[in-house]
Amino acid sequence: MNNRQPAWQAFEQAHVWHPYASMLDPAPVYAVKSADGVRLEFEDGRRVIDGMASWWCAIHGYNVPQLNAAIEQQLGKMAHVMFGGLTHAPAALLAERLLSIAPAGMQHVFFADSGSVAVEVAIKMALQYCQAQGQSRKTKLLSIRHGYHGDTFGAMGVCDPVAGMHHLFADQLPNHFFADAPTAASDDVWDDEQMTSFRGLIEAHHSQIAAVILEPIVQGAGGMRVYAPEFLRQVRSLCDAYDVLLIADEIATGFGRTGTMFACEQAQIAPDILCVGKALTGGYMTLAAVLCTAGVCAGIHADGQGVLMHGPTFMANPLACAVALASIDLLLASPWQQRVAAIETQLHQQLSPCRESERVQAVRVKGAIGVIEMKDPIDVVHVQQQLIARGVWLRPFGRLLYTMPPFVIRSDDLAQVTAAMRSVTM
Ligand SMILES: *Cc1c(COP(=O)(O)O)cnc(C)c1O
């Protein structure tokens, strides 16, 4: 159907890599000319509703006047300056705003340039903390299966050891500990056996474990799973009992996606270290941040000296900080709780019928996230063609077809997304 390709696309296909893609035998990619509201416009003129919010990021949709204005204003002052020895208002104001909405206890902010880098920095913080405490045996991390934390080496090391990339880089990756992920999706169906694996590992190995790292409540790219807040509460108390730091990776779940500003709030817990990214800039630019408590910060400097050993070239990029600040303010000024709750209700109503299909394994909804898990792997190329014919952009992977739309999506547009999802799964 891609008969009206722009002139550059043949060159692009031959020379430019796409995520998790083969250069030799590339799957089709669709050229986007522009984006506005919840819609992408392809170069050939077709328009599709973006049910992915560009991988969790574009919570306000595209071409948002307030976000455009924030970047334009900052651009008139400066696009970038190094952060070593210099500072600027966009970084300071964004840090203040982030700490004001973050779970209790967060006191310090490290700006990183992507989610994966934020995870690397969080791991470094935990390791440097333990070293400065004289606990140099604490070099391991404990995570749960089905997690996803990014594509750099430190982050890969804590991704799901089966679904992740461990098999390709087995010799280069450290051996961390992985507990079984909880299977209870809510506290209603909780039983204490859900803790057995995690409790066993932390009891046996805490003297080697610097930190627990996990995605609170919703596990994203590692399987699109939802789990009970009670698991997180018990993880928090076991971390306290065994003197292990807790890193919450809220890069996907942060900024309202699960119905609360941060998913941790659903368990009424706060981590020691928090990673945010993705929707931080409303999907405009790459930026992430690592927040930590005063205790973690003091611990890193416990030997009276020491510095945190990280400093990206584009740390705290002013354009990115300015648009992130505007995005958070826009979120706070909007009725985001009602919007996410309305999306959740609609996803429940309109995806639940898929449970009747023999091909469907499970349907899961949490906040503005709707997941259909199939019994067999999805033919991505074919399914995507069918979805686009129905005016919808989604990117299934493995056995999962899922949506996490911009919060501003109208109910008739969301109905078009869910109808397309039903049509390819039932
Ligand atoms: C996307 C993601 C990352 C990695 O972020 P990048 O910006 O792609 O490096 C890390 N953790 C979680 C939970 C994510 O969803």
Side-chain angles (χ1 to χ4, degrees), residues 261-419:
M261 184 59 81
F262 294 98
C264 280
E265 292 167 34
Q266 299 187 28
Q268 288 107 22
I269 63 114
D272 302 295
I273 299 172
L274 173 72
C275 299
V276 298
K278 289 204 162 98
L280 171 59
T281 64
Y284 267 55
M285 304 186 65
T286 178
L287 184 71
V290 188
L291 281 55
C292 75
T293 61
V296 169
C297 176
I300 288 171
H301 304 295
D303 48 8
Q305 47 181 3
V307 295
L308 183 64
M309 289 306 284
H310 213 93
T313 306
F314 282 94
M315 187 165 180
N317 172 257
L319 287 175
C321 289
V323 74
L325 182 62
S327 174
I328 294 173
D329 285 345
L330 187 57
L331 184 65
L332 293 175
S334 74
W336 62 270
Q337 285 107 325
Q338 289 95 304
R339 282 178 177 163
V340 172
I343 292 171
E344 179 168 37
T345 304
Q346 194 176 344
L347 288 172
H348 265 303
Q349 284 167 356
Q350 297 178 348
L351 295 183
S352 293
C354 297
R355 293 203 174 95
E356 308 299 313
S357 167
E358 281 184 358
R359 296 163 56 210
V360 170
Q361 176 76 36
V363 174
R364 297 188 279 272
V365 173
K366 181 74 183 178
I369 307 166
V371 184
I372 302 173
E373 182 178 331
M374 307 298 290
K375 288 180 179 154
D376 296 316
I378 296 172
D379 177 347
V380 176
V381 173
H382 176 63
V383 164
Q384 223 161 31
Q385 277 166 359
Q386 291 180 295
L387 293 165
I388 289 170
R390 290 175 170 267
V392 170
W393 173 251
L394 294 172
R395 186 167 165 82
F397 79 90
R399 295 184 293 115
L400 301 167
L401 177 69
Y402 60 103
T403 181
M404 54 274 191
F407 299 166
V408 296
I409 193 166
R410 290 196 334 233
S411 70
D412 55 336
D413 285 339
L414 185 57
Q416 192 174 331
V417 174
T418 55

Side-chain angles (χ1 to χ4, degrees), residues 110-122 149 152 155 251 288 290 310 312:
F110 186 103
F111 288 112
D113 25 20
S114 72
S116 301
V117 173
V119 168
E120 301 290 331
V121 170
H149 298 284
T152 53
I251 291 166
V290 188
H310 213 93

